[in-house]
Amino acid sequence: MYRPNEIESILVSEEEIREKVKEMGRVLTEEYKDKNPLFLCVLKGSVTFFSDLIRAVECPLEIDFIRASSYGSGTVSGGKVNFTVGGHVHIEGRDVVVVEDILDTARTLYTVKNEMLRSEPASLKIVTLLDKPSRRVVKGFSADYTGFAIEDHFVVGYGLDYNERFRNLPYVGILKPEVYT
């Protein structure tokens, strides 16, 4: 269980997240209104955002899950991306929307995107709740849709974790450094 004194401050409030997800849902509804897109959730951190986002999209869609990570249990990307596809994901000729919690170095999403493009989807878009452009290692890589651009803080909550903790916070908070150092 987390303790409130482990959170330095709230970076993005529950209300701000709710409004941004609604807005992103409206945009995605308009883009995919005449299509049947496949929304892919990058496990585990994206589950909360993904669940709220697909409910905000008001057009037919399908869902599936992928697992991709370069962090393990650390606070800094190790550089090696582990990527596995769950279920029976067939993306050839499909409109695919990859939903991620946070884009920072871009190693993970760069790998995911390139692997998926080899299967020749009709289109492939990246949606992320948070973007840390100052941490970008893969230069020039960006999401197609971003909820919030943030500074370089170690953040938790709304699906984001530190050692599997804090995912259930309803907001995005800055974790106190003494918790993870």
Side-chain angles (χ1 to χ4, degrees), residues 38 40 89-96 116-117 119-122:
L38 174 63
L40 294 175
V89 178
H90 298 288
I91 65 171
E92 184 178 343
R94 299 285 313 268
D95 293 297
V96 178
M116 291 192 168
L117 286 173
S119 296
E120 300 180 0

Side-chain angles (χ1 to χ4, degrees), residues 1-180:
M1 185 67 169
Y2 70 90
R3 295 181 300 277
N5 64 348
E6 294 175 308
I7 303 300
E8 187 174 289
S9 63
I10 294 175
L11 186 62
V12 185
S13 73
E14 186 175 2
E15 180 60 31
E16 289 172 311
I17 293 169
R18 187 174 16 252
E19 289 305 312
K20 184 59 74 173
V21 168
K22 283 182 194 175
E23 174 188 324
M24 294 174 90
R26 285 189 296 272
V27 169
L28 292 166
T29 297
E30 183 61 30
E31 179 164 347
Y32 294 103
K33 66 183 174 189
D34 297 323
K35 302 175 182 178
N36 183 34
L38 174 63
F39 276 62
L40 294 175
C41 176
V42 181
L43 294 173
K44 297 179 193 175
S46 301
V47 168
T48 306
F49 174 47
F50 182 82
S51 296
D52 288 346
L53 183 64
I54 63 170
R55 286 193 306 263
V57 175
E58 297 179 2
C59 66
L61 58 83
E62 295 177 28
I63 68 168
D64 213 325
F65 303 89
I66 60 175
R67 187 175 294 272
S69 175
S70 64
Y71 280 84
S73 62
T75 60
V76 178
S77 173
K80 182 178 185 293
V81 176
N82 298 311
F83 173 60
T84 55
V85 177
H88 299 13
V89 178
H90 298 288
I91 65 171
E92 184 178 343
R94 299 285 313 268
D95 293 297
V96 178
V97 180
V98 176
V99 180
E100 178 66 293
D101 54 358
I102 189 165
L103 173 59
D104 55 10
T105 67
R107 286 182 180 124
T108 300
L109 284 175
Y110 178 79
T111 300
V112 167
K113 183 175 183 177
N114 284 332
E115 285 297 314
M116 291 192 168
L117 286 173
R118 292 176 7 163
S119 296
E120 300 180 0
S123 68
L124 178 62
K125 298 289 178 99
I126 306 286
V127 177
T128 187
L129 177 66
L130 303 174
D131 185 11
K132 284 188 198 178
S134 66
R135 299 224 341 119
R136 199 76 78 243
V137 171
V138 180
K139 299 299 180 198
F141 190 92
S142 62
D144 298 287
Y145 303 100
T146 298
F148 303 94
I150 63 171
E151 298 297 320
D152 187 14
H153 301 289
F154 192 83
V155 292
V156 295
Y158 197 67
L160 295 138
D161 76 302
Y162 171 65
N163 280 340
E164 297 299 325
R165 296 176 60 219
F166 307 102
R167 290 188 193 276
N168 60 326
L169 294 174
Y171 55 82
V172 174
I174 298 172
L175 191 62
K176 287 185 176 178
E178 57 266 25
V179 175
Y180 59 88

